Amino acid sequence: EKGGYEHFMLKEIFEQPKSIQDTLRGRLLVNEGIIKMAGIWDHLDRINKAERIIIIACGTSWHAGLIGEYLIEEFARIPVEVEYASEFRYRNPIITEKDIVVAISQSGETADSMAAIKLAKEKGAFIYGICNVVDSSIARFSDAGSYTHAGPEIGVASTKAFTAQLTILSLIALKLGKHNGNLSNAEFMRLITELDNIPKKVEEVLKSTHDYVKEIAHDFVNSTNFLYLGRGFNFPAALEGALKLKEISYIHAEGYPAAEMKHGPIALIDENMPIVIIAPKKGHYDKIVSNVQEIKARKGKVIAVVNYGDEQVASMADYVIEIPETSECFSPIVASIPLQLLAYYIAVYRGANVDQPRNLAKSVTVE
Ligand code: F6R
């Protein structure tokens, strides 16, 4: 049932063009110029009038939530806070009936996330669930929601569920922005047309980067540390890239917003430190160029994810992974693909049990 792949994780990485398409299907209707989401439509007034949206999740789903914050604030202009479920529930949070709480969970069974939304509901908040597993506890407990149609995710390290979460969050942000007047029709049309292209771009990236990323992985099997850097929408993508590597290869990795480097992590950089840097053309590119200069001045090994034809970052980086250009807001979906492959192949070369990493369970039903 691994469909010819050596591991479920690799199969699931390769399923992403389809899982993203499945998540868009029936919702993104480009020709009609609309996004159809019953969960949002039926409660549009309440959601668009919310004083704030609180996104609650754990792990990879929390990283998706951070990107959700950027998306919703950018397009719908509603203030968003993103919380770790475990911290939220134990700190006597301020919640009112005017709050919308969005819970993101692949399994829909994560104990901390479930407890957090119970608490929020008691205080009168409206609960919106984004789950992958149909009829899961969080999905049933929510007042409304949207399923990610990623299909069953078996590898413990989340891949296709993550990109499906980003897809749903993009749809929600664009739909809210369209209806509350923050997005012009022209801008909305431009963005949905681009979102519709994402499955194709992901397909292209899988084909064009796979062999090269596998080679890069081979050069770093013996590394003991990694830094992942990104800015803007790609800062959370850096966090997620680092988490993937930690989980399955057991190499210590940390993700940072690139600008934070000089506030501490730069002290770690020497010729033995690999640094994965996400540097698409759209989104603080010039700032990233200076970050790469700072790293190279300290002899760090730079693995850069850039757009086709990039020259500035590419000329300094030790390894250059090229991906197609897209809107900045969707670039984390495309940029995450080579980072998933990198973590996967490093783990495979280290002989790790990729689908069932030590100490981890697919759904964390204990606190
Ligand atoms: C990462 C991973 C975990 C989960 C986290 C939340 O690859 O699998 O970090 O993302 O345990 O799980 P869900 O999304 O099921 O609530």
Side-chain angles (χ1 to χ4, degrees):
E1 74 237 53
K2 288 181 200 154
Y5 290 95
E6 199 184 334
H7 296 99
F8 282 109
M9 183 177 173
L10 189 61
K11 171 171 176 263
E12 289 162 3
I13 291 173
F14 272 89
E15 273 169 0
Q16 288 174 110
K18 178 173 185 299
S19 52
I20 296 168
Q21 190 65 65
D22 288 346
T23 301
L24 292 174
R25 183 166 303 111
R27 291 170 169 147
L28 181 60
L29 308 175
V30 179
N31 293 336
E32 295 160 54
I34 54 172
I35 290 173
K36 239 187 178 169
M37 294 176 103
I40 297 291
W41 184 246
D42 294 347
H43 307 278
L44 191 60
D45 215 41
R46 182 157 188 190
I47 300 173
N48 261 337
K49 289 212 177 93
E51 282 182 359
R52 61 176 179 168
I53 292 175
I54 305 170
I55 299 180
I56 285 178
C58 306
T60 289
S61 299
W62 184 78
H63 294 153
L66 287 178
I67 297 172
E69 173 182 18
Y70 284 60
L71 285 161
I72 294 169
E73 292 202 344
E74 172 83 16
F75 299 126
R77 306 304 293 158
I78 302 170
V80 179
E81 286 168 35
V82 189
E83 302 255 11
Y84 282 119
S86 57
E87 286 299 313
F88 178 83
R89 59 180 289 214
Y90 287 118
R91 69 172 169 77
N92 193 16
I94 300 166
I95 315 163
T96 75
E97 314 81 61
K98 289 186 178 148
D99 291 325
I100 304 293
V101 168
V102 176
I104 307 177
S105 176
Q106 187 286 130
S107 64
E109 302 297 342
T110 301
D112 278 319
S113 302
M114 186 64 202
I117 57 173
K118 275 193 177 144
L119 176 73
K121 199 182 221 177
E122 275 164 25
K123 308 231 176 181
F126 181 84
I127 315 293
Y128 199 93
I130 300 177
C131 299
N132 193 46
V133 177
V134 174
D135 230 23
S136 53
S137 305
I138 293 173
R140 276 186 280 120
F141 187 81
S142 299
D143 297 306
S146 307
Y147 283 112
T148 47
H149 295 155
E153 190 180 63
I154 302 196
V156 164
S158 187
T159 53
K160 64 175 180 170
F162 174 68
T163 49
Q165 289 164 346
L166 298 184
T167 305
I168 288 287
L169 290 162
S170 302
L171 289 168
I172 291 177
L174 296 174
K175 185 167 176 67
L176 292 176
K178 177 184 169 150
H179 292 297
N180 71 16
N182 279 298
L183 265 181
S184 69
N185 203 48
E187 190 61 358
F188 178 79
M189 285 309 297
R190 188 184 69 73
L191 287 160
I192 63 172
T193 305
E194 184 51 27
L195 182 54
D196 195 45
N197 284 329
I198 293 295
K200 262 204 307 277
K201 292 192 175 174
V202 167
E203 177 90 62
E204 188 181 322
V205 168
L206 283 164
K207 285 207 189 93
S208 67
T209 66
H210 173 270
D211 293 352
Y212 179 52
V213 170
K214 192 169 170 181
E215 278 173 38
I216 302 175
H218 197 257
D219 288 355
F220 290 96
V221 266
N222 295 317
S223 294
T224 48
N225 288 289
F226 261 81
L227 284 179
Y228 284 72
L229 305 176
R231 298 179 83 114
F233 284 90
N234 284 302
F235 148 54
L239 297 183
E240 175 58 12
L243 179 63
K244 286 289 84 87
L245 187 70
K246 277 184 265 214
E247 285 184 294
I248 58 171
S249 74
Y250 317 136
I251 294 173
H252 172 242
E254 286 192 72
Y256 275 99
E260 274 295 302
M261 194 177 70
K262 59 173 85 57
H263 300 285
I266 197 164
L268 294 167
I269 299 178
D270 63 12
E271 66 281 5
N272 296 316
M273 179 63 91
I275 295 135
V276 177
I277 186 146
I278 310 170
K281 267 267 142 42
K282 291 192 187 116
H284 320 285
Y285 181 77
D286 295 338
K287 301 276 176 197
I288 289 267
V289 170
S290 13
N291 295 137
V292 176
Q293 282 162 346
E294 289 154 8
I295 296 165
K296 284 318 295 177
R298 291 159 184 84
K299 302 196 164 52
K301 291 266 173 308
V302 173
I303 303 165
V305 179
V306 298
N307 289 139
Y308 295 141
D310 183 280
E311 285 172 5
Q312 271 185 289
V313 168
S315 67
M316 293 184 279
D318 300 85
Y319 299 83
V320 180
I321 302 169
E322 290 191 312
I323 62 172
E325 232 179 273
T326 180
S327 307
E328 186 191 355
C329 62
F330 307 131
S331 62
I333 304 180
V334 183
S336 289
I337 308 298
L339 304 195
Q340 294 169 348
L341 288 169
L342 183 66
Y344 173 78
Y345 279 109
I346 291 178
V348 166
Y349 285 132
R350 287 165 69 93
N353 185 349
V354 174
D355 281 336
Q356 296 210 291
R358 68 187 185 201
N359 309 338
L360 295 176
K362 186 64 190 161
S363 79
V364 183
T365 51
V366 292
E367 302 175 8

